[in-house]
Amino acid sequence: QLQLQESGPGLVKPSETLSLTCTVSGGSISSSTHFWGWIRQPPGKGLEWIGSISYSGSTYYNPSLKSRVTISVDTSKNQFSLKVSSVTAADTAVYHCARQDFYSYDMDVWGTGTTVTV
Amino acid sequence: QTVVTQEPAFSVSPGGTVTLTCGLNSGSVSTSYYPSWYQQTPGQAPRTLICNTNTRSSGVPDRFSGSILGNKAALTITGAQADDECDYYCVLYMGSGLWVFGGGTKLTVL
Protein backbone atom coordinates (compact mmCIF):
# COMPACT_ATOMS: atom_id res chain seq x y z
CA GLN A 1 0.00 0.00 0.00
CA LEU A 2 1.44 3.33 -1.06
CA GLN A 3 2.24 5.74 1.75
CA LEU A 4 3.56 9.28 1.75
CA GLN A 5 5.28 10.95 4.69
CA GLU A 6 6.29 14.60 4.96
CA SER A 7 9.35 15.66 6.93
CA GLY A 8 11.21 18.87 7.65
CA PRO A 9 11.63 21.70 10.16
CA GLY A 10 8.51 22.75 12.00
CA LEU A 11 9.74 26.29 12.56
CA VAL A 12 11.19 28.64 9.95
CA LYS A 13 12.22 32.26 10.43
CA PRO A 14 10.72 35.04 8.30
CA SER A 15 12.61 35.71 5.04
CA GLU A 16 14.25 32.27 5.16
CA THR A 17 13.54 29.23 2.97
CA LEU A 18 11.08 26.51 3.98
CA SER A 19 12.26 23.03 2.94
CA LEU A 20 10.18 19.87 3.13
CA THR A 21 10.61 16.34 1.83
CA CYS A 22 8.01 13.73 1.01
CA THR A 23 9.13 10.11 1.21
CA VAL A 24 7.17 7.61 -0.85
CA SER A 25 6.97 4.02 0.38
CA GLY A 26 5.16 0.98 -0.97
CA GLY A 27 5.56 2.13 -4.56
CA SER A 28 7.86 3.87 -7.01
CA ILE A 29 8.03 7.61 -7.53
CA SER A 30 9.16 6.88 -11.08
CA SER A 31 5.62 6.01 -12.13
CA SER A 32 4.75 7.45 -15.52
CA THR A 33 1.08 7.57 -14.60
CA HIS A 34 1.33 9.95 -11.65
CA PHE A 35 2.28 13.44 -10.62
CA TRP A 36 3.55 14.24 -7.13
CA GLY A 37 2.18 17.34 -5.51
CA TRP A 38 2.24 19.66 -2.53
CA ILE A 39 -0.88 21.16 -0.93
CA ARG A 40 -1.08 23.41 2.12
CA GLN A 41 -3.72 24.53 4.59
CA PRO A 42 -3.26 27.65 6.75
CA PRO A 43 -4.83 27.47 10.21
CA GLY A 44 -8.60 27.68 9.98
CA LYS A 45 -8.55 28.07 6.20
CA GLY A 46 -9.02 25.95 3.10
CA LEU A 47 -6.69 23.83 1.01
CA GLU A 48 -4.35 25.41 -1.54
CA TRP A 49 -2.49 23.58 -4.31
CA ILE A 50 1.17 24.67 -4.32
CA GLY A 51 2.63 22.72 -7.19
CA SER A 52 3.38 19.33 -8.71
CA ILE A 53 6.15 17.42 -10.44
CA SER A 54 6.03 14.56 -12.90
CA TYR A 55 8.22 11.47 -12.81
CA SER A 56 10.36 13.04 -15.54
CA GLY A 57 10.90 16.22 -13.56
CA SER A 58 8.46 18.55 -15.30
CA THR A 59 7.17 21.05 -12.78
CA TYR A 60 3.89 22.92 -12.46
CA TYR A 61 3.30 25.72 -9.96
CA ASN A 62 0.43 27.76 -8.58
CA PRO A 63 0.85 31.13 -10.33
CA SER A 64 0.38 32.95 -7.03
CA LEU A 65 3.41 31.16 -5.53
CA LYS A 66 5.49 30.43 -8.61
CA SER A 67 8.18 33.02 -7.96
CA ARG A 68 9.01 31.52 -4.55
CA VAL A 69 8.45 27.78 -5.02
CA THR A 70 10.71 25.00 -6.27
CA ILE A 71 9.73 21.32 -6.40
CA SER A 72 12.27 18.63 -7.21
CA VAL A 73 12.41 14.84 -7.29
CA ASP A 74 15.09 12.37 -6.19
CA THR A 75 14.22 9.02 -7.73
CA SER A 76 17.19 7.29 -6.05
CA LYS A 77 15.67 8.06 -2.65
CA ASN A 78 12.02 7.78 -3.77
CA GLN A 79 11.46 11.31 -2.50
CA PHE A 80 10.30 14.67 -3.77
CA SER A 81 10.88 18.01 -2.13
CA LEU A 82 9.42 21.47 -1.72
CA LYS A 83 11.23 24.75 -1.17
CA VAL A 84 9.46 28.04 -0.50
CA SER A 85 11.72 31.06 -0.31
CA SER A 86 11.29 34.39 1.47
CA VAL A 87 8.63 33.03 3.81
CA THR A 88 6.31 35.21 5.87
CA ALA A 89 3.71 34.46 8.51
CA ALA A 90 1.25 33.86 5.66
CA ASP A 91 3.17 30.69 4.82
CA THR A 92 2.33 29.15 8.19
CA ALA A 93 0.28 26.06 7.38
CA VAL A 94 -0.04 22.32 7.43
CA TYR A 95 1.78 21.07 4.35
CA HIS A 96 0.62 17.85 2.69
CA CYS A 97 2.23 15.88 -0.09
CA ALA A 98 0.01 13.84 -2.38
CA ARG A 99 0.07 11.54 -5.36
CA GLN A 100 -1.92 12.77 -8.34
CA ASP A 101 -3.29 10.51 -11.01
CA PHE A 102 -2.13 11.33 -14.54
CA TYR A 103 -5.45 10.30 -16.10
CA SER A 104 -8.11 11.40 -13.61
CA TYR A 105 -6.08 14.35 -12.27
CA ASP A 106 -7.17 13.78 -8.68
CA MET A 107 -5.08 13.55 -5.52
CA ASP A 108 -5.57 9.89 -4.71
CA VAL A 109 -3.07 9.31 -1.88
CA TRP A 110 -2.24 11.89 0.78
CA GLY A 111 0.44 12.26 3.39
CA THR A 112 -0.70 13.02 6.93
CA GLY A 113 0.76 16.50 6.76
CA THR A 114 3.37 18.46 8.67
CA THR A 115 2.90 21.78 10.41
CA VAL A 116 5.25 24.60 9.51
CA THR A 117 5.22 27.80 11.54
CA VAL A 118 6.93 30.97 10.31
CA GLN B 1 -7.97 34.90 -11.85
CA THR B 2 -9.75 31.57 -11.63
CA VAL B 3 -11.93 31.16 -8.55
CA VAL B 4 -13.63 27.87 -7.74
CA THR B 5 -16.78 28.49 -5.73
CA GLN B 6 -18.41 26.32 -3.07
CA GLU B 7 -21.13 27.01 -0.54
CA PRO B 8 -19.35 28.06 2.68
CA ALA B 9 -21.76 26.05 4.81
CA PHE B 10 -24.67 23.67 4.46
CA SER B 11 -26.84 21.70 6.84
CA VAL B 12 -28.72 18.46 6.44
CA SER B 13 -30.93 16.38 8.69
CA PRO B 14 -29.83 12.88 9.66
CA GLY B 15 -31.03 10.52 6.94
CA GLY B 16 -31.54 13.37 4.53
CA THR B 17 -30.02 14.20 1.17
CA VAL B 18 -27.76 17.14 0.42
CA THR B 19 -26.08 18.35 -2.76
CA LEU B 20 -22.93 20.44 -2.55
CA THR B 21 -21.81 22.32 -5.64
CA CYS B 22 -18.55 23.43 -7.23
CA GLY B 23 -18.61 26.26 -9.73
CA LEU B 24 -16.37 28.72 -11.55
CA ASN B 25 -16.41 32.49 -11.19
CA SER B 26 -16.34 32.65 -14.98
CA GLY B 27 -17.72 29.86 -17.09
CA SER B 28 -19.25 26.46 -16.55
CA VAL B 29 -17.76 23.36 -14.98
CA SER B 30 -17.74 20.34 -17.26
CA THR B 31 -16.19 16.90 -17.17
CA SER B 32 -13.21 18.42 -18.95
CA TYR B 33 -12.19 19.92 -15.63
CA TYR B 34 -12.00 16.42 -14.05
CA PRO B 35 -13.74 17.56 -10.85
CA SER B 36 -12.76 15.65 -7.73
CA TRP B 37 -14.14 15.80 -4.18
CA TYR B 38 -12.42 15.42 -0.81
CA GLN B 39 -13.68 14.96 2.73
CA GLN B 40 -11.70 16.37 5.65
CA THR B 41 -12.30 15.96 9.35
CA PRO B 42 -10.50 18.33 11.75
CA GLY B 43 -6.82 17.56 12.18
CA GLN B 44 -6.83 14.88 9.51
CA ALA B 45 -5.57 14.65 5.95
CA PRO B 46 -8.20 14.93 3.23
CA ARG B 47 -9.81 11.72 2.01
CA THR B 48 -10.58 11.33 -1.66
CA LEU B 49 -14.28 10.67 -2.27
CA ILE B 50 -14.87 11.21 -5.97
CA CYS B 51 -12.54 11.58 -8.95
CA ASN B 52 -13.14 12.33 -12.60
CA THR B 53 -16.60 13.82 -11.93
CA ASN B 54 -18.37 10.66 -10.74
CA THR B 55 -15.95 7.82 -9.94
CA ARG B 56 -16.02 6.80 -6.28
CA SER B 57 -12.67 6.09 -4.70
CA SER B 58 -12.02 2.70 -3.19
CA GLY B 59 -13.96 2.14 0.00
CA VAL B 60 -16.26 5.14 -0.41
CA PRO B 61 -19.89 4.17 0.26
CA ASP B 62 -22.39 4.60 -2.55
CA ARG B 63 -24.18 7.22 -0.44
CA PHE B 64 -21.69 9.60 -2.04
CA SER B 65 -22.09 10.39 -5.71
CA GLY B 66 -20.68 12.96 -8.11
CA SER B 67 -22.20 14.57 -11.16
CA ILE B 68 -22.51 17.70 -13.27
CA LEU B 69 -25.65 19.67 -12.44
CA GLY B 70 -26.27 22.56 -14.76
CA ASN B 71 -23.04 24.52 -14.93
CA LYS B 72 -21.48 23.10 -11.77
CA ALA B 73 -19.97 19.91 -10.43
CA ALA B 74 -21.99 18.39 -7.63
CA LEU B 75 -21.47 16.04 -4.70
CA THR B 76 -24.64 14.41 -3.43
CA ILE B 77 -24.81 12.66 -0.06
CA THR B 78 -27.86 10.51 0.55
CA GLY B 79 -28.85 9.11 3.92
CA ALA B 80 -26.66 11.62 5.76
CA GLN B 81 -25.02 10.31 8.92
CA ALA B 82 -23.54 12.10 11.92
CA ASP B 83 -19.99 11.31 10.86
CA ASP B 84 -20.59 13.01 7.51
CA GLU B 85 -20.31 16.28 9.44
CA CYS B 86 -16.99 17.75 8.30
CA ASP B 87 -15.50 19.85 5.49
CA TYR B 88 -15.80 19.03 1.80
CA TYR B 89 -13.52 20.38 -0.93
CA CYS B 90 -13.68 20.20 -4.68
CA VAL B 91 -10.72 20.53 -7.01
CA LEU B 92 -10.78 21.39 -10.69
CA TYR B 93 -8.00 20.63 -13.16
CA MET B 94 -7.64 23.75 -15.30
CA GLY B 95 -5.27 22.16 -17.80
CA SER B 96 -1.57 22.83 -18.40
CA GLY B 97 -0.67 21.34 -15.03
CA LEU B 98 -2.79 23.71 -12.95
CA TRP B 99 -5.17 22.65 -10.17
CA VAL B 100 -7.49 24.94 -8.19
CA PHE B 101 -9.25 24.10 -4.93
CA GLY B 102 -12.63 25.45 -3.98
CA GLY B 103 -12.96 27.24 -0.68
CA GLY B 104 -14.64 24.26 0.95
CA THR B 105 -18.09 23.60 2.42
CA LYS B 106 -18.63 22.98 6.12
CA LEU B 107 -21.43 20.42 6.39
CA THR B 108 -23.50 20.21 9.54
CA VAL B 109 -25.72 17.20 10.23
CA LEU B 110 -28.52 18.16 12.61
Side-chain angles (χ1 to χ4, degrees), chain A residues 46-78:
Chain A
L47 297 163
E48 179 182 37
W49 173 72
I50 299 170
S52 303
I53 190 166
S54 71
Y55 76 100
S56 62
S58 297
T59 52
Y60 310 89
Y61 298 127
N62 186 325
S64 68
L65 298 168
K66 186 175 183 177
S67 63
R68 299 193 295 125
V69 170
T70 302
I71 296 175
S72 58
V73 64
D74 187 337
T75 54
S76 67
K77 295 182 179 179
N78 228 31

mmCIF file of all heavy atoms in Angstrom, chain A residues 46-78:
data_model
loop_
_atom_site.group_PDB
_atom_site.id
_atom_site.type_symbol
_atom_site.label_atom_id
_atom_site.label_comp_id
_atom_site.label_asym_id
_atom_site.label_seq_id
_atom_site.Cartn_x
_atom_site.Cartn_y
_atom_site.Cartn_z
ATOM 1 N N GLY A 46 -8.857 27.035 4.034
ATOM 2 C CA GLY A 46 -9.017 25.946 3.095
ATOM 3 C C GLY A 46 -7.702 25.441 2.519
ATOM 4 O O GLY A 46 -6.620 25.931 2.844
ATOM 5 N N LEU A 47 -7.846 24.457 1.644
ATOM 6 C CA LEU A 47 -6.685 23.835 1.008
ATOM 7 C C LEU A 47 -6.227 24.658 -0.192
ATOM 8 O O LEU A 47 -7.045 25.244 -0.911
ATOM 9 C CB LEU A 47 -7.057 22.419 0.548
ATOM 10 C CG LEU A 47 -7.450 21.441 1.664
ATOM 11 C CD1 LEU A 47 -8.177 20.236 1.087
ATOM 12 C CD2 LEU A 47 -6.215 20.996 2.434
ATOM 13 N N GLU A 48 -4.932 24.680 -0.417
ATOM 14 C CA GLU A 48 -4.346 25.414 -1.544
ATOM 15 C C GLU A 48 -3.313 24.530 -2.237
ATOM 16 O O GLU A 48 -2.379 24.051 -1.588
ATOM 17 C CB GLU A 48 -3.688 26.704 -1.068
ATOM 18 C CG GLU A 48 -3.037 27.508 -2.182
ATOM 19 C CD GLU A 48 -2.350 28.770 -1.694
ATOM 20 O OE1 GLU A 48 -1.760 28.740 -0.588
ATOM 21 O OE2 GLU A 48 -2.398 29.788 -2.418
ATOM 22 N N TRP A 49 -3.483 24.320 -3.538
ATOM 23 C CA TRP A 49 -2.489 23.584 -4.313
ATOM 24 C C TRP A 49 -1.262 24.481 -4.503
ATOM 25 O O TRP A 49 -1.374 25.628 -4.927
ATOM 26 C CB TRP A 49 -3.069 23.175 -5.660
ATOM 27 C CG TRP A 49 -2.086 22.565 -6.593
ATOM 28 C CD1 TRP A 49 -1.516 21.315 -6.506
ATOM 29 C CD2 TRP A 49 -1.540 23.161 -7.777
ATOM 30 N NE1 TRP A 49 -0.654 21.110 -7.550
ATOM 31 C CE2 TRP A 49 -0.653 22.218 -8.353
ATOM 32 C CE3 TRP A 49 -1.712 24.392 -8.418
ATOM 33 C CZ2 TRP A 49 0.054 22.484 -9.530
ATOM 34 C CZ3 TRP A 49 -1.022 24.655 -9.583
ATOM 35 C CH2 TRP A 49 -0.136 23.705 -10.132
ATOM 36 N N ILE A 50 -0.083 23.918 -4.193
ATOM 37 C CA ILE A 50 1.166 24.675 -4.321
ATOM 38 C C ILE A 50 1.848 24.370 -5.649
ATOM 39 O O ILE A 50 2.280 25.287 -6.361
ATOM 40 C CB ILE A 50 2.129 24.309 -3.174
ATOM 41 C CG1 ILE A 50 1.507 24.648 -1.814
ATOM 42 C CG2 ILE A 50 3.465 25.040 -3.347
ATOM 43 C CD1 ILE A 50 2.296 24.107 -0.630
ATOM 44 N N GLY A 51 1.957 23.100 -5.971
ATOM 45 C CA GLY A 51 2.630 22.722 -7.194
ATOM 46 C C GLY A 51 2.798 21.224 -7.291
ATOM 47 O O GLY A 51 2.530 20.490 -6.326
ATOM 48 N N SER A 52 3.241 20.766 -8.462
ATOM 49 C CA SER A 52 3.382 19.332 -8.715
ATOM 50 C C SER A 52 4.578 19.080 -9.612
ATOM 51 O O SER A 52 5.056 19.988 -10.311
ATOM 52 C CB SER A 52 2.128 18.771 -9.377
ATOM 53 O OG SER A 52 0.972 19.009 -8.597
ATOM 54 N N ILE A 53 5.034 17.822 -9.598
ATOM 55 C CA ILE A 53 6.148 17.421 -10.444
ATOM 56 C C ILE A 53 5.832 16.057 -11.040
ATOM 57 O O ILE A 53 5.203 15.222 -10.400
ATOM 58 C CB ILE A 53 7.468 17.397 -9.642
ATOM 59 C CG1 ILE A 53 8.669 17.211 -10.562
ATOM 60 C CG2 ILE A 53 7.430 16.337 -8.529
ATOM 61 C CD1 ILE A 53 10.013 17.515 -9.893
ATOM 62 N N SER A 54 6.227 15.859 -12.266
ATOM 63 C CA SER A 54 6.029 14.561 -12.902
ATOM 64 C C SER A 54 7.244 13.675 -12.659
ATOM 65 O O SER A 54 8.294 14.144 -12.196
ATOM 66 C CB SER A 54 5.796 14.734 -14.399
ATOM 67 O OG SER A 54 7.010 15.126 -15.028
ATOM 68 N N TYR A 55 7.123 12.404 -13.023
ATOM 69 C CA TYR A 55 8.225 11.473 -12.812
ATOM 70 C C TYR A 55 9.469 11.916 -13.600
ATOM 71 O O TYR A 55 10.592 11.636 -13.206
ATOM 72 C CB TYR A 55 7.806 10.068 -13.245
ATOM 73 C CG TYR A 55 7.793 9.864 -14.741
ATOM 74 C CD1 TYR A 55 8.842 9.225 -15.398
ATOM 75 C CD2 TYR A 55 6.731 10.345 -15.515
ATOM 76 C CE1 TYR A 55 8.831 9.055 -16.758
ATOM 77 C CE2 TYR A 55 6.715 10.181 -16.877
ATOM 78 C CZ TYR A 55 7.764 9.536 -17.500
ATOM 79 O OH TYR A 55 7.741 9.379 -18.852
ATOM 80 N N SER A 56 9.250 12.619 -14.683
ATOM 81 C CA SER A 56 10.358 13.045 -15.540
ATOM 82 C C SER A 56 10.973 14.363 -15.088
ATOM 83 O O SER A 56 11.954 14.821 -15.657
ATOM 84 C CB SER A 56 9.878 13.190 -16.981
ATOM 85 O OG SER A 56 8.874 14.176 -17.065
ATOM 86 N N GLY A 57 10.357 14.974 -14.076
ATOM 87 C CA GLY A 57 10.903 16.222 -13.556
ATOM 88 C C GLY A 57 10.225 17.479 -14.050
ATOM 89 O O GLY A 57 10.628 18.588 -13.680
ATOM 90 N N SER A 58 9.196 17.356 -14.869
ATOM 91 C CA SER A 58 8.459 18.546 -15.300
ATOM 92 C C SER A 58 7.695 19.118 -14.111
ATOM 93 O O SER A 58 7.053 18.373 -13.377
ATOM 94 C CB SER A 58 7.475 18.183 -16.416
ATOM 95 O OG SER A 58 8.153 17.719 -17.557
ATOM 96 N N THR A 59 7.787 20.425 -13.938
ATOM 97 C CA THR A 59 7.168 21.055 -12.775
ATOM 98 C C THR A 59 6.029 21.980 -13.174
ATOM 99 O O THR A 59 6.027 22.574 -14.262
ATOM 100 C CB THR A 59 8.212 21.844 -11.973
ATOM 101 O OG1 THR A 59 8.907 22.735 -12.857
ATOM 102 C CG2 THR A 59 9.199 20.920 -11.300
ATOM 103 N N TYR A 60 5.080 22.100 -12.258
ATOM 104 C CA TYR A 60 3.893 22.917 -12.456
ATOM 105 C C TYR A 60 3.608 23.626 -11.135
ATOM 106 O O TYR A 60 3.577 22.978 -10.090
ATOM 107 C CB TYR A 60 2.695 22.040 -12.850
ATOM 108 C CG TYR A 60 3.001 21.094 -13.989
ATOM 109 C CD1 TYR A 60 3.507 19.824 -13.734
ATOM 110 C CD2 TYR A 60 2.837 21.495 -15.310
ATOM 111 C CE1 TYR A 60 3.821 18.969 -14.771
ATOM 112 C CE2 TYR A 60 3.138 20.640 -16.358
ATOM 113 C CZ TYR A 60 3.637 19.381 -16.085
ATOM 114 O OH TYR A 60 3.945 18.533 -17.108
ATOM 115 N N TYR A 61 3.426 24.945 -11.191
ATOM 116 C CA TYR A 61 3.295 25.716 -9.957
ATOM 117 C C TYR A 61 2.040 26.578 -9.968
ATOM 118 O O TYR A 61 1.606 27.078 -11.014
ATOM 119 C CB TYR A 61 4.514 26.621 -9.771
ATOM 120 C CG TYR A 61 5.834 25.884 -9.643
ATOM 121 C CD1 TYR A 61 6.918 26.209 -10.453
ATOM 122 C CD2 TYR A 61 5.997 24.871 -8.716
ATOM 123 C CE1 TYR A 61 8.134 25.545 -10.332
ATOM 124 C CE2 TYR A 61 7.214 24.189 -8.588
ATOM 125 C CZ TYR A 61 8.269 24.532 -9.409
ATOM 126 O OH TYR A 61 9.466 23.870 -9.285
ATOM 127 N N ASN A 62 1.491 26.786 -8.763
ATOM 128 C CA ASN A 62 0.432 27.760 -8.583
ATOM 129 C C ASN A 62 0.981 29.130 -8.964
ATOM 130 O O ASN A 62 1.997 29.571 -8.418
ATOM 131 C CB ASN A 62 -0.023 27.741 -7.121
ATOM 132 C CG ASN A 62 -1.223 28.621 -6.848
ATOM 133 O OD1 ASN A 62 -1.394 29.682 -7.429
ATOM 134 N ND2 ASN A 62 -2.050 28.175 -5.927
ATOM 135 N N PRO A 63 0.324 29.829 -9.886
ATOM 136 C CA PRO A 63 0.846 31.134 -10.326
ATOM 137 C C PRO A 63 1.068 32.109 -9.177
ATOM 138 O O PRO A 63 1.985 32.938 -9.239
ATOM 139 C CB PRO A 63 -0.237 31.634 -11.290
ATOM 140 C CG PRO A 63 -0.888 30.401 -11.802
ATOM 141 C CD PRO A 63 -0.873 29.442 -10.650
ATOM 142 N N SER A 64 0.265 32.002 -8.135
ATOM 143 C CA SER A 64 0.383 32.951 -7.029
ATOM 144 C C SER A 64 1.622 32.688 -6.173
ATOM 145 O O SER A 64 2.017 33.539 -5.375
ATOM 146 C CB SER A 64 -0.864 32.894 -6.145
ATOM 147 O OG SER A 64 -0.932 31.647 -5.469
ATOM 148 N N LEU A 65 2.242 31.528 -6.338
ATOM 149 C CA LEU A 65 3.408 31.157 -5.531
ATOM 150 C C LEU A 65 4.642 30.893 -6.384
ATOM 151 O O LEU A 65 5.743 30.702 -5.844
ATOM 152 C CB LEU A 65 3.107 29.902 -4.704
ATOM 153 C CG LEU A 65 1.980 30.005 -3.681
ATOM 154 C CD1 LEU A 65 1.612 28.626 -3.159
ATOM 155 C CD2 LEU A 65 2.390 30.909 -2.524
ATOM 156 N N LYS A 66 4.459 30.906 -7.684
ATOM 157 C CA LYS A 66 5.485 30.426 -8.610
ATOM 158 C C LYS A 66 6.863 31.052 -8.400
ATOM 159 O O LYS A 66 7.884 30.385 -8.501
ATOM 160 C CB LYS A 66 5.017 30.660 -10.052
ATOM 161 C CG LYS A 66 5.932 30.086 -11.101
ATOM 162 C CD LYS A 66 5.333 30.242 -12.491
ATOM 163 C CE LYS A 66 6.212 29.594 -13.547
ATOM 164 N NZ LYS A 66 5.608 29.678 -14.900
ATOM 165 N N SER A 67 6.891 32.327 -8.075
ATOM 166 C CA SER A 67 8.183 33.024 -7.960
ATOM 167 C C SER A 67 8.982 32.565 -6.743
ATOM 168 O O SER A 67 10.186 32.808 -6.651
ATOM 169 C CB SER A 67 7.956 34.537 -7.880
ATOM 170 O OG SER A 67 7.218 34.869 -6.720
ATOM 171 N N ARG A 68 8.323 31.900 -5.790
ATOM 172 C CA ARG A 68 9.008 31.518 -4.550
ATOM 173 C C ARG A 68 9.128 30.006 -4.360
ATOM 174 O O ARG A 68 9.725 29.559 -3.377
ATOM 175 C CB ARG A 68 8.269 32.097 -3.336
ATOM 176 C CG ARG A 68 8.197 33.601 -3.314
ATOM 177 C CD ARG A 68 7.743 34.116 -1.949
ATOM 178 N NE ARG A 68 6.385 33.715 -1.637
ATOM 179 C CZ ARG A 68 6.034 33.061 -0.538
ATOM 180 N NH1 ARG A 68 6.944 32.714 0.361
ATOM 181 N NH2 ARG A 68 4.765 32.749 -0.319
ATOM 182 N N VAL A 69 8.561 29.222 -5.251
ATOM 183 C CA VAL A 69 8.455 27.781 -5.025
ATOM 184 C C VAL A 69 9.343 26.992 -5.990
ATOM 185 O O VAL A 69 9.425 27.315 -7.171
ATOM 186 C CB VAL A 69 6.981 27.314 -5.180
ATOM 187 C CG1 VAL A 69 6.888 25.795 -5.200
ATOM 188 C CG2 VAL A 69 6.131 27.880 -4.049
ATOM 189 N N THR A 70 9.971 25.950 -5.449
ATOM 190 C CA THR A 70 10.715 24.996 -6.268
ATOM 191 C C THR A 70 10.373 23.588 -5.787
ATOM 192 O O THR A 70 10.442 23.314 -4.581
ATOM 193 C CB THR A 70 12.230 25.196 -6.153
ATOM 194 O OG1 THR A 70 12.566 26.527 -6.542
ATOM 195 C CG2 THR A 70 12.965 24.210 -7.052
ATOM 196 N N ILE A 71 9.985 22.732 -6.712
ATOM 197 C CA ILE A 71 9.735 21.320 -6.402
ATOM 198 C C ILE A 71 10.713 20.480 -7.203
ATOM 199 O O ILE A 71 10.933 20.734 -8.394
ATOM 200 C CB ILE A 71 8.283 20.926 -6.723
ATOM 201 C CG1 ILE A 71 7.313 21.713 -5.830
ATOM 202 C CG2 ILE A 71 8.071 19.427 -6.513
ATOM 203 C CD1 ILE A 71 5.835 21.473 -6.147
ATOM 204 N N SER A 72 11.300 19.501 -6.543
ATOM 205 C CA SER A 72 12.269 18.625 -7.209
ATOM 206 C C SER A 72 12.011 17.180 -6.807
ATOM 207 O O SER A 72 11.308 16.914 -5.821
ATOM 208 C CB SER A 72 13.697 19.035 -6.839
ATOM 209 O OG SER A 72 13.883 18.978 -5.440
ATOM 210 N N VAL A 73 12.597 16.263 -7.559
ATOM 211 C CA VAL A 73 12.406 14.836 -7.288
ATOM 212 C C VAL A 73 13.758 14.137 -7.227
ATOM 213 O O VAL A 73 14.683 14.492 -7.969
ATOM 214 C CB VAL A 73 11.487 14.189 -8.347
ATOM 215 C CG1 VAL A 73 12.123 14.241 -9.723
ATOM 216 C CG2 VAL A 73 11.106 12.764 -7.961
ATOM 217 N N ASP A 74 13.891 13.201 -6.318
ATOM 218 C CA ASP A 74 15.088 12.373 -6.190
ATOM 219 C C ASP A 74 14.639 10.918 -6.312
ATOM 220 O O ASP A 74 14.211 10.313 -5.330
ATOM 221 C CB ASP A 74 15.776 12.633 -4.852
ATOM 222 C CG ASP A 74 17.124 11.926 -4.729
ATOM 223 O OD1 ASP A 74 17.327 10.910 -5.447
ATOM 224 O OD2 ASP A 74 17.961 12.354 -3.939
ATOM 225 N N THR A 75 14.738 10.380 -7.514
ATOM 226 C CA THR A 75 14.225 9.022 -7.733
ATOM 227 C C THR A 75 15.056 7.979 -6.991
ATOM 228 O O THR A 75 14.530 6.939 -6.608
ATOM 229 C CB THR A 75 14.192 8.701 -9.232
ATOM 230 O OG1 THR A 75 15.490 8.923 -9.787
ATOM 231 C CG2 THR A 75 13.175 9.592 -9.947
ATOM 232 N N SER A 76 16.333 8.260 -6.752
ATOM 233 C CA SER A 76 17.188 7.289 -6.055
ATOM 234 C C SER A 76 16.750 7.100 -4.604
ATOM 235 O O SER A 76 16.960 6.040 -4.017
ATOM 236 C CB SER A 76 18.643 7.734 -6.110
ATOM 237 O OG SER A 76 18.841 8.914 -5.361
ATOM 238 N N LYS A 77 16.137 8.131 -4.034
ATOM 239 C CA LYS A 77 15.671 8.060 -2.648
ATOM 240 C C LYS A 77 14.155 7.882 -2.571
ATOM 241 O O LYS A 77 13.603 7.805 -1.473
ATOM 242 C CB LYS A 77 16.074 9.315 -1.877
ATOM 243 C CG LYS A 77 17.574 9.488 -1.713
ATOM 244 C CD LYS A 77 17.880 10.735 -0.893
ATOM 245 C CE LYS A 77 19.382 10.894 -0.698
ATOM 246 N NZ LYS A 77 19.702 12.120 0.081
ATOM 247 N N ASN A 78 13.497 7.854 -3.734
ATOM 248 C CA ASN A 78 12.023 7.777 -3.771
ATOM 249 C C ASN A 78 11.397 8.931 -2.973
ATOM 250 O O ASN A 78 10.475 8.743 -2.178
ATOM 251 C CB ASN A 78 11.519 6.435 -3.237
ATOM 252 C CG ASN A 78 10.491 5.801 -4.153
ATOM 253 O OD1 ASN A 78 10.521 5.980 -5.372
ATOM 254 N ND2 ASN A 78 9.557 5.052 -3.577
#
